[in-house]
Amino acid sequence: MPRLPQPTRRGLLAAGGALGLTAVLAACGDEKADKSKGGGSGKDGGPWSFEDDRGTTAKKDSTPKNIVAFTGVAAALYDYGIEVKGVFGPTKTKDGKPDVQAGDMDISKVTILGNAWDQFNIEKYVGLRPDVLISTMFDDQGTLWYVPEASKDKILKLAPSVGISVYDRQMTKPLERLLALAESLGADVKAEKVVSAKKRFEAAAERLRKAAKARPEIKVLVGSASADIFYVSGSNLSADLEYFKSLGVNLVEPPAKALKESGGWFENLSWENVDKYKADVIMMDNRTSALQPEGLADQKPTWGKLPAVKAGQVIPRVTEPIYSYAKCAPILEDLAKAIEKAKKVS
């Protein structure tokens, strides 16, 4: 999965459970899944169902209103006019501003159940009376992103859940799935705003394809920085990188042996070896969990010596995209622009 500091897992509930959690869980029971194709909305007052990427069908008697979602998913739904009640995952920075993964949401209007890895306030979740919980998945085991392993069984008994896979597929697939989910929840997918955003995305994809074809010599390295390690991403498994590669972008690709330690996601390099791969453009992880390029040369002198850094050819990588067409189009546009204007420095 994308690099993320994962502290030692810890329990989130005091013994006995607050707010009568045990009683709530017993009342909710387990949601039984079936294999029927989901997508029915409750717009006419009828039942709602949606089959997710686990093959599990979430069901409710009517369209969910009290939606709780991973922050990035909530931001995508927001772009389609669907607002959630609660979020979990990086939502606000230390200074109280919206995290990059919050998109255009007004974070003051949502209940934040957890702002970091392994944080999920079940008491607050119970209080929201959730109709559905939605998250992404970065593996093929059905693991819901940012739902703590230690308390997932308690959490998932409270409401139906939906998992949208962003694992080992091109980014167009989760875009399609989030749009379908939004439509099932009541979004007008034929609204001009949505149609225009999709057209912009398609135009951006074509621009990137043309840029990659015109400048095949431009090598793009995808990295992430921590205090001790520089991570170089492989182009498989990540939905954005798989899509860039399909459009012809010349991505730096660590050998499979080097990627093995991380399950195929990235290679770990010491800062002394940060120049192992030659690159003309560097895309750097924009998440708040990673060190950002600004001021990085002061901390890590080897960074400032890289040709792409010297040439000013470093751009953000939206490592966990907000999967709406409105948010993904600029990602393609920015990469296309970087390739179009890049000087060959490697």
Side-chain angles (χ1 to χ4, degrees):
M1 66 182 63
R3 185 191 69 80
L4 188 72
Q6 298 185 11
T8 302
R9 296 187 182 279
R10 54 193 180 278
L12 298 179
L13 292 177
L19 294 184
L21 179 60
T22 302
V24 174
L25 292 174
C28 290
D30 291 307
E31 290 287 340
K32 300 298 182 180
D34 63 31
K35 296 296 182 180
S36 61
K37 292 295 180 182
S41 69
K43 296 177 183 178
D44 57 357
W48 172 87
S49 66
F50 187 86
E51 183 178 349
D52 72 1
D53 292 336
R54 299 170 297 181
T56 299
T57 300
K59 295 181 178 181
K60 294 294 290 185
D61 291 338
S62 60
T63 304
K65 300 299 181 185
N66 296 336
I67 302 169
V68 173
F70 170 68
T71 303
V73 171
L77 293 175
Y78 183 87
D79 286 348
Y80 295 125
I82 304 298
E83 298 189 25
V84 306
K85 297 290 187 180
V87 296
F88 54 94
T91 306
K92 64 179 179 180
T93 59
K94 293 180 180 179
D95 59 5
K97 295 181 179 179
D99 187 275
V100 292
Q101 296 191 59
D104 294 331
M105 287 192 300
D106 182 346
I107 62 173
S108 69
K109 294 183 178 180
V110 296
T111 297
I112 300 174
L113 303 176
N115 198 57
W117 185 259
D118 235 11
Q119 292 181 1
F120 194 110
N121 190 315
I122 301 183
E123 297 176 14
K124 289 184 178 180
Y125 184 55
V126 171
L128 291 175
R129 298 184 177 276
D131 291 322
V132 66
L133 179 148
I134 309 169
S135 190
T136 49
M137 300 183 296
F138 281 93
D139 60 29
D140 56 3
Q141 305 302 309
T143 305
L144 297 178
W145 193 230
Y146 269 83
V147 175
E149 181 69 21
S151 52
K152 69 177 183 180
D153 291 342
K154 294 176 181 178
I155 293 168
L156 297 181
K157 284 182 179 179
L158 287 166
S161 61
V162 171
I164 300 298
S165 178
V166 295
Y167 172 76
D168 196 16
R169 63 198 60 204
Q170 295 178 22
M171 71 189 308
T172 47
K173 187 61 177 180
L175 277 168
E176 293 169 0
R177 297 293 285 144
L178 258 297
L179 182 65
L181 176 59
E183 182 177 22
S184 81
L185 294 170
D188 180 3
V189 299
K190 295 182 179 179
E192 177 60 27
K193 178 182 178 181
V194 177
V195 173
S196 295
K198 188 174 182 180
K199 288 181 178 179
R200 179 183 174 185
F201 176 85
E202 292 168 348
E206 184 58 26
R207 177 182 175 183
L208 181 54
R209 188 193 305 276
K210 289 180 177 178
K213 184 176 181 179
R215 303 294 308 279
E217 76 280 9
I218 299 301
K219 296 180 181 179
V220 179
L221 182 146
V222 181
S224 182
S226 73
D228 301 317
I229 299 173
F230 184 77
Y231 304 83
V232 179
S233 292
S235 62
N236 293 322
L237 304 184
S238 296
D240 60 335
L241 304 189
E242 287 201 10
Y243 191 50
F244 299 162
K245 184 168 62 175
S246 77
L247 294 174
V249 176
N250 184 3
L251 294 170
V252 169
E253 185 69 56
K257 184 177 180 180
L259 298 170
K260 187 176 181 180
E261 184 178 344
S262 68
W265 290 97
F266 48 78
E267 177 181 2
N268 298 347
L269 296 179
S270 67
W271 281 101
E272 289 74 20
N273 296 316
V274 73
D275 61 350
K276 179 178 179 179
Y277 298 106
K278 297 183 182 299
D280 304 292
V281 173
I282 299 177
M283 301 182 73
M284 289 293 287
D285 187 347
N286 76 331
R287 294 176 298 178
T288 51
S289 59
L291 297 179
Q292 296 305 303
E294 298 80 9
L296 191 57
D298 294 334
Q299 302 177 52
K300 309 294 180 182
T302 50
W303 166 257
K305 295 178 182 179
L306 296 176
V309 175
K310 288 182 177 180
Q313 295 175 176
V314 178
I315 65 172
R317 179 207 177 186
V318 183
T319 307
E320 291 186 55
I322 293 170
Y323 283 101
S324 71
Y325 290 102
K327 293 297 185 294
C328 286
I331 295 173
L332 304 185
E333 292 167 348
D334 291 346
L335 180 53
K337 182 179 178 181
I339 293 173
E340 290 164 353
K341 295 188 173 184
K343 296 177 182 178
K344 180 65 180 176
V345 295
S346 65

